[in-house]
Amino acid sequence: MSLLDIHVLGSPVLRQETTPVTVVTDEIRCLIDDMFETMYAARGIGLAAPQIGRPERLTVIDITRDHDSKQPMVFINPEIVASDGAIRGEEGCLSIPEVFGEVQRSASVKVRALDRDGQPFEVEATELLARCLQHEIDHLHGRLFIDHLSLLKRKAALAKWDEEKGKYPDLRRTVVPALLIAEHHDDAEL
Ligand code: K1U
Ligand code: ZN
């Protein structure tokens, strides 16, 4: 498995429509494994293919954030087939580091997708999973959470991003696993 670079705001791939996956090949399964590794290393709860510069319509999610009891979920060609209610909540994005905002989303969604074996399934989601699914499916259609903010809040978010973006001159961020940071820190203390 490999860690992949995550594209950040300004990279054109984040604004492109994705292409549906026609056959779930071993190459796609390998990409899925790399996306999980990258998402866990970045301490995210979701990652969509455009975020690592790929055009395929697929996303990986694990909202547990507890590395001892992982619940990895794969959604290939996901579609929201039903939704209900509305709820506001804070979101971040691995492609816009250090920027956060309150976004209104459907309170519950039903999503249809293919799994890593190409088999169709449906999931009904509420709370964080519903929010994460909507955030990731937005990525698959070139939309970002900042697009849902009011003009004033979007301006504030973009001003914050202006302060941050200098850290990413080539519009990518390389994820350093937390374990390596801890080891480096321990070495420095010796
Ligand atoms: O797609 C992404 O950029 C991943 C993103 C998913 C997401 C976070 C929050 C709400 C909806 C979708 C992240 O994982 S951001 C980092 C994160 O772990 C996090 C931030 C806020 C709340 C919960 C998790
Ligand atoms: Zn995101």
Side-chain angles (χ1 to χ4, degrees):
M1 287 203 287
S2 328
L3 280 175
L4 308 166
D5 281 354
I6 297 178
H7 288 237
V8 299
L9 188 61
S11 174
V13 70
L14 292 177
R15 290 306 195 174
Q16 283 160 17
E17 181 66 46
T18 51
T19 309
V21 174
T22 48
V23 189
V24 183
T25 58
D26 283 345
E27 196 220 322
I28 292 285
R29 278 184 278 272
C30 208
L31 172 64
I32 288 167
D33 292 342
D34 288 347
M35 286 174 64
F36 273 120
E37 190 181 1
T38 305
M39 181 194 78
Y40 288 127
R43 300 195 169 269
I45 56 170
L47 188 68
Q51 294 182 276
I52 43 96
R54 297 282 298 232
E56 290 90 349
R57 191 165 299 165
L58 79 90
T59 180
V60 299
I61 290 179
D62 186 342
I63 58 160
T64 59
R65 309 195 91 201
D66 173 0
H67 286 201
D68 292 333
S69 60
K70 288 180 179 155
Q71 283 178 28
M73 292 186 275
V74 177
F75 296 85
I76 298 170
N77 303 338
E79 290 173 77
I80 297 175
V81 293
S83 60
D84 194 27
I87 189 165
R88 298 184 71 79
E90 175 139 304
E91 297 193 14
C93 181
L94 297 177
S95 294
I96 322 177
E98 305 302 327
V99 175
F100 300 91
E102 247 204 19
V103 178
Q104 179 161 307
R105 300 281 190 186
S106 297
S108 64
V109 289
K110 188 198 275 191
V111 170
R112 187 176 297 152
L114 302 179
D115 66 16
R116 63 180 291 139
D117 298 315
Q119 295 303 309
F121 71 100
E122 282 185 358
V123 65
E124 288 185 1
T126 59
E127 300 184 349
L128 186 56
L129 181 56
R131 179 167 298 281
C132 193
L133 274 164
Q134 290 170 84
H135 179 114
E136 300 310 330
I137 291 170
D138 265 1
H139 272 303
L140 301 178
H141 299 290
R143 294 187 294 263
L144 300 170
F145 83 89
I146 52 171
D147 304 340
H148 296 278
L149 302 177
S150 67
L151 195 57
L152 211 62
K153 292 204 169 135
R154 189 156 67 243
K155 271 190 168 178
L158 290 173
K160 172 74 176 153
W161 176 243
D162 269 347
E163 291 168 17
E164 293 296 319
K165 69 182 185 195
K167 294 179 189 166
Y168 313 99
D170 55 1
L171 300 178
R172 315 261 178 109
R173 57 185 288 218
T174 301
V175 181
V176 181
L179 199 64
L180 279 185
I181 296 170
E183 277 169 7
H184 178 77
H185 186 73
D186 287 351
D187 286 352
E189 305 239 310
L190 286 176

